[in-house]
Amino acid sequence: MLKKTITLMLSALCCTALLTACGGSSSKSNTENTAEEAADDGALIVYPESTNIGGKFGKAFSFEDKGYKVKIEKGWGNEEEVSMKITVTRNDVQPSVNFEDIAGSHDAGKKYVGDIDAEFLDDNDDVLFTARVGLGNYTDIDKLLALEEGDKTTITVSDYVDESIARKAVRFRLTSTLENNSHAGRPGSVLGDLDDQLESLGKAAEAVGAMAGAAAKAADAANEISKNR
């Protein structure tokens, strides 16, 4: 009986050892996703200081509190193109500005031009650089402003930065900006510029016509003087 008991105990110990070797008793969850694991491919991972987009849009948009991968690609000269994608949700906060008056481009004929800035911060909370949505694709702003409550869209912020500076970033914050549209009320900048050019040409033609008329009158006066001599 004692021999049988010892045999069972040895079998149990062997099974426990096998489970441990296979990782069955590991205390780390298989679904845990640390920053180090996410950055195994050399990517830069940054975290939001706040999950709302502040500024002129009135915190009407929010996004997930998680690590975001910053893409660094070859850019111009000594600077790389740094970009980051963020999926944004329209929440139930009512903004103080009418989104129908805002577009992502000066060409849209809206009252304001809107943009979103992403300030990237180092360990001391100092701003290293600021990336913008409008730098690469202003239509992201138009899609964002058209969202209904609960809807989502993905925006991309980008900038050209020295990689050694970009890799110091650990956090970021998003803020929205507005500026007056220089082409407000026009269907587009091309047509607006054409209107300006035609208006300038018209004024120039009027001036030339006035000068020609004055010259003709002067010539007539000179002829009259000659006849009377």
Side-chain angles (χ1 to χ4, degrees), residues 1 7 22 28 106 115 118 126 139 141 171 204 219-220 228:
M1 183 67 181
T7 300
C22 293
K28 183 175 181 179
H106 286 275
D115 205 348
D126 292 326
T139 57
I141 298 293
R171 284 180 292 279
D220 290 341
N228 293 331

Side-chain angles (χ1 to χ4, degrees), residues 89-107:
T89 303
R90 176 72 164 89
N91 56 38
D92 60 354
V93 176
Q94 294 301 314
S96 58
V97 63
N98 187 354
F99 285 165
E100 293 183 356
D101 292 334
I102 308 171
S105 168
H106 286 275
D107 300 351

Side-chain angles (χ1 to χ4, degrees), residues 186 189-205:
R186 299 176 180 176
S189 64
V190 175
L191 293 179
D193 291 342
L194 181 58
D195 287 342
D196 292 340
Q197 293 171 12
L198 289 175
E199 184 178 355
S200 297
L201 287 173
K203 290 179 178 179

Side-chain angles (χ1 to χ4, degrees), residues 127-186:
V127 178
L128 294 168
F129 63 96
T130 301
R132 296 190 298 115
V133 172
L135 180 69
N137 187 3
Y138 63 80
T139 57
D140 279 2
I141 298 293
D142 296 331
K143 293 176 182 178
L144 185 71
L145 296 172
L147 293 180
E148 299 290 340
E149 184 180 333
D151 290 343
K152 299 181 180 183
T153 190
T154 299
I155 60 175
T156 302
V157 297
S158 59
D159 193 17
Y160 291 94
V161 186
D162 186 289
E163 183 173 357
S164 63
I165 294 176
R167 289 198 175 276
K168 294 178 182 178
V170 294
R171 284 180 292 279
F172 71 94
R173 56 173 171 248
L174 298 186
T175 184
S176 51
T177 62
L178 285 181
E179 63 175 288
N180 290 325
N181 189 357
S182 60
H183 294 285
R186 299 176 180 176

